[in-house]
């Protein structure tokens, strides 16, 4: 280990408030801020030793990690109100012990030689172990997260659900709008945004829902949320306490189920058939709400026909329940005109509508929207404020411009045609290798469900075999779906998402599955 070199031009990380405790993660990296040292001049203990002891402790406790930058001697001297020589003395001691070192002409940093002894749980590490076991409060959270990030190593050809085409993201126009908004942001980035969302965006979403989904909704009823996932949490906070009955499709979207269960809901499964949710199986009693995916049932992909839509709305008005309509991928309808949303048919203010830009633009944006009946708006906004005080202003502003300039509509037309071709390609590939195939959900959305012929093994076996050949195809439960009891959907059906794969990849992926199963 070399000794610490301090050069006059030593570049310096910015300083925070003196004596402030800095979270371990914030200490890492070239922008290292102040480190939490406290020295006492009247302790009768040499100052350089107080400094070296405390830095040593930060390193051994894992709070200053190997490779992390230590503030320059000049900064530290300023921070602590001591002479620079005192700090240099402390540094030189630490360097000779191998705790810190200096890169040529650059910062001083925690030695990499320390990496092996860096504690795994640095935050929790204490210098002395407690003598008596500590009794902690019980963890009340119950829930299993939805697995939207691909589990494990990605296969070469991955038909995982819910992934838009990565090359379709409107990068060029997004960049232009982003820079324009950044240049004229004023105080918008330093102030808290309105918890309900940017008014311009709420207006743009309300207009879009009018044209695209036949809904008559005002901006005051729209909340901009962190994806549908947050909207589900807001709804659960509105209505669910431990033991609250909530009806849900069976099979259903795992993210919705997990959310409601985590608030203690008693789930009432309502079966799904080839026309979507069986409305005649809904209980004839007061319920807070039923959660449904009428445009493209998740995961079967079926569309709820007009007759059942009316029955569902009549049921809701009769028993006084809300219908939570998750319209996650309805921007993509390939065959026939777009459907009117349930919320567009609703004349008794029974529908709470959820939409997202995760599928139409990109899931990484984390922007969705919630349209609520007027009487729920104030409460829903209060919950959003409690949850996270609103969405990022910049992203909302760019999105508002993207929609109101007409770019969103053009983008959707383009992406729709790309996805339609990929859907056709997938169906052709399945037919080419497996003959007549039984597929549902192909009329729209971003995935299809393939009901396996009797000649093929179970969904789980096909999934495992395909994976061994570099292809990801997914059984209902591994595709963010859930069913309450084993049905042919769980054992004999596969969910195939296709927009993220090129046509060539789709053809090769399905060909590999066919070869693997021979
Ligand atoms: C039915 C359904 N709802 C909601 C979502 C997630 O939406 P968001 O990304 O807006 O949270 C998904 C994701 O695949 C989904 O399948």
């Amino acid at each position: 280990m070399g000794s610490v070199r301090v050069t006059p031009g030593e570049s310096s990380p910015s300083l925070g408030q003196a004596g402030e405790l800095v979270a371990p993660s914030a200490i890492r990296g070239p922008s290292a801020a102040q480190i939490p040292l406290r020295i006492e001049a009247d302790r009768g203990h040499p100052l350089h030793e107080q400094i070296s002891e405390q830095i040593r402790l930060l390193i051994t406790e894992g709070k200053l990690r190997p490779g992390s930058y230590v503030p320059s001697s000049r900064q530290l001297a300023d921070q602590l109100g001591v002479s620079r020589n005192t700090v240099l003395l402390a540094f030189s001691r630490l360097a000779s012990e191998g705790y810190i070192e200096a890169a040529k002409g650059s910062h001083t940093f925690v030695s990499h030689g320390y990496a092996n002894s860096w504690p795994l749980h640095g935050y929790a590490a204490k210098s002395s172990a407690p003598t008596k076991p500590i009794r902690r409060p019980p963890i009340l959270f119950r829930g299993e997260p939805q697995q939207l990030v691909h589990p494990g190593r990605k296969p070469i050809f991955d038909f995982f659900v819910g992934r838009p085409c990565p090359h379709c993201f409107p990068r060029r126009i997004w960049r232009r709008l982003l820079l324009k908004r950044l240049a004229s942001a004023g105080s918008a980035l330093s102030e808290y945004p309105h918890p309900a969302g940017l008014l311009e965006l709420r207006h743009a979403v309300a207009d879009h829902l009018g044209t695209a989904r036949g809904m008559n909704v005002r901006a005051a009823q729209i909340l901009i949320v962190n994806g549908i996932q947050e909207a589900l949490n807001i709804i659960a906070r509105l209505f669910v306490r431990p033991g609250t009955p909530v009806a849900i499709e069976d099979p259903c979207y795992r993210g919705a189920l997990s959310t409601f269960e985590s608030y203690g809901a008693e789930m009432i499964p309502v079966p799904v058939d080839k026309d979507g949710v069986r409305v005649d199986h809904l209980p004839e009693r007061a319920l807070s709400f039923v959660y449904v995916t009428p445009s493209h049932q998740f995961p079967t992909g079926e569309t709820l026909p007009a007759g059942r839509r009316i029955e569902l709305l009549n049921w809701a008005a009769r028993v006084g329940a809300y219908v939570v309509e998750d319209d996650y991928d309805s921007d993509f309808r390939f065959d026939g005109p777009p459907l009117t949303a349930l919320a567009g048919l609703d004349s008794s203010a029974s529908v709470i509508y959820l939409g997202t830009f995760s599928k139409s633009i990109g899931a990484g944006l984390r922007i969705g929207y919630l349209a609520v009946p007027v009487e729920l708006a104030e409460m829903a906004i209060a919950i959003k404020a409690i949850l996270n005080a609103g969405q990022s202003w910049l992203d909302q502003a760019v999105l508002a411009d993207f929609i109101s300039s007409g770019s969103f509509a053009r983008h959707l037309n383009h992406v729709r045609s790309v996805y339609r071709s990929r859907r056709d390609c997938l169906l052709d590939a399945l037919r080419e290798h497996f003959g007549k195939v039984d597929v549902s959900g192909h009329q729209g959305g971003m995935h299809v469900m393939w009901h396996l012929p009797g000649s093929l093994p179970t969904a789980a076996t096909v999934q495992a075999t395909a994976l061994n050949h570099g292809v990801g195809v997914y059984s209902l439960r591994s595709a963010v779906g859930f069913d309450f009891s084993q049905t042919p959907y769980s054992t004999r059906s596969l969910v195939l998402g296709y927009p993220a794969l090129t046509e060539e990849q789709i053809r090769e992926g399905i060909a590999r599955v066919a070869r693997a199963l021979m």
Side-chain angles (χ1 to χ4, degrees):
M1 312 286 163
S3 63
V4 177
R5 263 167 31 108
V6 181
T7 57
E10 206 173 31
S11 57
S12 51
S14 59
L15 292 178
Q17 271 180 7
E20 180 183 70
L21 242 152
V22 183
S25 59
I27 298 174
R28 197 179 161 78
S31 57
Q34 282 185 321
I35 52 176
L37 304 186
R38 221 178 265 287
I39 56 163
E40 291 166 28
D42 51 0
R43 242 177 74 192
H45 192 41
L47 296 181
H48 69 274
E49 280 186 16
Q50 291 189 41
I51 297 170
S52 57
E53 275 166 13
Q54 288 181 44
I55 295 182
R56 193 182 297 114
L57 198 61
L58 286 172
I59 295 172
T60 53
E61 284 185 342
K63 293 174 181 169
L64 266 178
R65 304 181 195 183
S68 301
Y69 286 88
V70 177
S72 71
S73 54
R74 186 172 288 125
Q75 284 174 342
L76 214 48
D78 274 358
Q79 176 190 328
L80 300 173
V82 299
S83 83
R84 192 159 160 232
N85 277 343
T86 304
V87 178
L88 284 173
L89 210 56
F91 275 12
S92 139
R93 170 83 170 267
L94 289 165
S96 67
E97 291 170 354
Y99 286 101
I100 61 173
E101 54 190 297
K104 230 180 179 176
S106 174
H107 301 275
T108 303
F109 61 90
V110 177
S111 166
H112 285 288
Y114 229 79
N116 294 339
S117 47
W118 180 57
L120 266 181
H121 303 291
Y123 210 111
K126 289 280 167 288
S127 42
S128 59
T131 45
K132 249 188 3 187
I134 301 170
R135 274 170 64 92
R136 302 284 184 203
I139 306 280
L140 299 181
F141 171 75
R142 294 278 171 275
E144 193 179 308
Q146 70 282 18
Q147 188 74 261
L148 283 168
V149 176
H150 188 282
R153 197 161 54 86
K154 263 197 182 162
I156 310 167
F157 304 98
D158 192 9
F159 291 87
F160 197 61
V161 277
R163 299 156 64 227
C165 158
H167 308 291
C168 296
F169 187 89
R171 243 168 273 268
R172 220 158 39 90
I173 182 157
W174 204 265
R175 184 169 184 273
R176 181 167 59 71
L177 296 174
L178 182 74
L179 292 177
K180 195 166 143 230
R181 278 294 191 158
L182 206 49
S184 60
S187 62
L189 279 165
S190 52
E191 286 171 9
Y192 280 100
H194 193 288
L198 189 69
L199 194 56
E200 288 162 81
L201 180 58
R202 294 164 75 198
H203 274 293
V205 167
D207 291 348
H208 170 70
L209 291 177
T211 340
R213 315 293 297 120
M215 288 167 58
N216 179 7
V217 65
R218 289 185 286 127
Q221 295 169 260
I222 306 275
L223 274 83
I224 305 302
V225 290
N226 195 297
I228 284 179
Q229 194 53 42
E230 186 179 47
L232 294 166
N233 275 276
I234 292 176
I235 292 160
R237 284 197 174 215
L238 274 170
F239 299 114
V240 181
R241 289 225 181 110
T244 303
V246 166
I248 193 164
E249 297 165 329
D250 178 17
C252 64
Y253 172 50
R254 173 96 235 183
L257 175 77
S258 294
T259 307
F260 304 142
E261 281 187 340
S262 74
Y263 287 83
E266 274 314 321
M267 302 312 298
I268 305 176
V270 187
V272 162
D273 65 15
K274 62 173 187 33
D275 283 331
V277 66
R278 290 281 306 266
V279 177
D280 57 333
H281 281 236
L282 280 164
E284 273 304 318
R285 62 181 163 101
L287 266 192
S288 299
F289 63 89
V290 58
Y291 165 87
V292 289
T293 47
S295 288
H296 197 234
Q297 204 279 329
F298 193 91
T300 65
E302 307 290 7
T303 302
L304 199 67
R308 278 203 193 170
R309 286 173 185 246
I310 303 297
E311 279 171 34
L312 180 54
L313 292 172
N314 288 344
W315 169 84
R318 203 163 55 242
V319 304
Y322 285 104
V323 177
V324 174
E325 176 177 22
D326 180 344
D327 212 19
Y328 63 110
D329 65 0
S330 66
D331 290 308
F332 305 109
R333 180 107 192 139
F334 308 125
D335 308 319
L339 296 170
T340 301
L342 268 183
L345 302 171
D346 177 26
S347 56
S348 54
S350 299
V351 178
I352 301 174
Y353 178 90
L354 321 182
T356 184
F357 293 99
S358 286
K359 313 296 169 189
S360 53
I361 304 180
L365 275 183
R366 303 310 304 135
I367 304 188
Y369 42 93
L370 170 62
V372 293
V374 176
E375 75 266 15
L376 297 180
E378 200 179 318
M379 283 297 164
I381 295 169
I383 294 170
K384 170 72 183 165
I386 288 170
L387 279 172
N388 51 31
Q391 293 294 119
S392 146
W393 173 83
L394 189 56
D395 294 337
Q396 293 188 76
V398 173
L399 182 54
D401 290 348
F402 187 65
I403 300 174
S404 56
S405 63
S407 299
F408 182 51
R410 282 192 290 279
H411 166 80
L412 274 183
N413 281 339
H414 167 66
V415 178
R416 210 175 278 129
S417 87
V418 173
Y419 290 5
R420 183 191 289 115
S421 304
R422 291 182 183 182
R423 186 253 345 228
D424 290 346
C425 175
L426 173 62
L427 297 183
D428 287 348
L430 286 172
R431 285 186 201 114
E432 182 186 332
H433 294 282
F434 298 98
K436 195 166 174 293
V437 284
D438 180 7
V439 168
S440 58
H442 51 290
Q443 70 287 357
M446 296 170 59
H447 70 268
V448 297
M449 194 177 226
W450 177 25
H451 310 286
L452 297 172
S455 55
L456 292 186
T458 62
T461 307
V462 177
Q463 177 174 339
T465 312
L467 191 59
N468 283 336
H469 290 74
V471 187
V473 293
Y474 298 91
S475 68
L476 181 145
R477 288 224 180 173
S478 8
V480 222
F482 182 83
D483 57 355
F484 289 79
S485 57
Q486 288 232 325
T487 64
Y489 287 131
S490 43
T491 54
R492 306 253 3 124
S493 301
L494 288 173
V495 186
L496 306 175
Y498 49 85
L501 296 170
T502 63
E503 293 183 29
E504 204 182 341
Q505 290 170 327
I506 291 172
R507 274 192 292 272
E508 175 58 18
I510 298 301
R512 279 192 186 208
V513 176
R515 284 199 297 274
L517 292 172
M518 277 196 189

